Amino acid sequence: ANQHVPKEKMEDAVDKADIILVSGGNTLYAVDRWEYLGLDELLRGAAHHGKVMAGGSAGAICWFDGGHSDSGDPDTYRLAMLDQFEDGAATEDTAYNPSSESTSSTLEGEEGSARSSHYADGNTAEQDANSEAWEYIRVEGLGIWPGLVCPHYDRIQSNGVPRMTDFDSMMKRHPYELGIGIDHHAALEVDGEEFRILSIPGETGSVIPEDASNEKEDAVPGVWIKYVDNDGMLHSKTCPGSGKVTDLLQMLEDPQKHLLLDEKVELCRKENPLLKD
């Protein structure tokens, strides 16, 4: 994000890689930067040639049409991150943690920092008082897979707004897209024509098992599928543990017509300008 990388060097790295892993971060800035450098086409080519494309948080969103993103959080802006690390202010508690996002692929959760994330059912008055004024936005991905992905689905970040709640609102503003909500400790793996859901045993999530005695304590990590019907009603269901990709993901007949851009994206770009060589 802060240095020029020759096209030939990127081509060589992508060509030699068996697995391409994208960390968490500011999704909007990352995808814009990739497009500026020409890395976006290299990544699409790698996916189409069968390389393993993996990632968490922003590294999950990037493979899809778009995602529910915290790219409007000023703490994730390029200069803010550089200042934090150059000043030596980053500590275990305050440093940006790229592994804090959900995971996908090979696909998973998104971008926010672990320091500002807590469970959606654990919001307190104190957390509300400390909330920062920024909004989640819909960002564009590489479009390798169809869908609008929300990582950290069961979490709240520094703005104090539960991602699952805001994601529902976003789905109603983007009714033609299939929504995929991935809990913080869950992952969606796509392997050829098959998919499966992975999760970390013992961790809490948003999916309540049928035999749960305590809904809050027994909820486990999982993945949610969402869609808006012709009457504008939002439907949500838990994703099965495995199945056919064709039963999970829905291709849009006319993406250019149906993928609606978020008007807040341009504001975020102005506040976090792209580094151009």
Side-chain angles (χ1 to χ4, degrees), residues 42-226:
L42 296 179
L43 293 174
R44 290 189 185 96
H48 293 151
H49 283 89
K51 294 182 184 289
V52 175
M53 316 299 284
S57 192
I61 288 178
C62 66
W63 311 121
F64 289 85
D65 286 331
H68 181 272
S69 171
D70 66 357
S71 292
D73 179 358
D75 287 343
T76 70
Y77 291 174
R78 185 179 69 89
L79 293 180
M81 298 304 300
L82 287 174
D83 287 345
Q84 183 182 28
F85 284 95
E86 289 176 358
D87 291 345
T91 67
E92 183 177 350
D93 293 330
T94 63
Y96 174 74
N97 180 0
S99 66
S100 69
E101 319 277 7
S102 297
T103 295
S104 111
S105 180
T106 85
L107 313 158
E108 192 220 334
E110 189 206 3
E111 336 151 67
S113 161
R115 61 179 166 71
S116 61
S117 295
H118 45 278
Y119 289 104
D121 60 3
N123 195 19
T124 66
E126 180 181 359
Q127 289 164 339
D128 283 339
N130 294 330
S131 297
E132 299 174 11
W134 58 269
E135 298 180 69
Y136 299 113
I137 62 173
R138 182 202 180 278
V139 298
E140 296 285 287
L142 296 178
I144 295 171
W145 290 106
L148 181 63
V149 173
C150 176
H152 314 290
Y153 177 76
D154 57 332
R155 294 297 179 95
I156 303 171
Q157 289 178 228
S158 64
N159 61 0
V161 180
R163 291 191 78 140
M164 63 173 65
T165 302
D166 195 81
F167 188 44
D168 283 355
S169 298
M170 182 177 289
M171 284 296 303
K172 292 180 180 179
R173 297 193 301 272
H174 301 270
Y176 299 108
E177 299 191 71
L178 175 77
I180 305 173
I182 306 176
D183 279 348
H184 189 72
H185 290 295
L188 167 63
E189 179 187 74
V190 177
D191 184 5
E193 298 180 355
E194 306 287 333
F195 77 86
R196 64 171 175 161
I197 305 302
L198 307 175
S199 63
I200 300 177
E203 295 290 352
T204 302
S206 65
V207 178
I208 302 172
E210 293 183 359
D211 59 350
S213 58
N214 185 307
E215 292 187 358
K216 181 179 294 186
E217 295 180 0
D218 294 341
V220 297
V223 174
W224 292 83
I225 302 301
K226 298 173 178 285

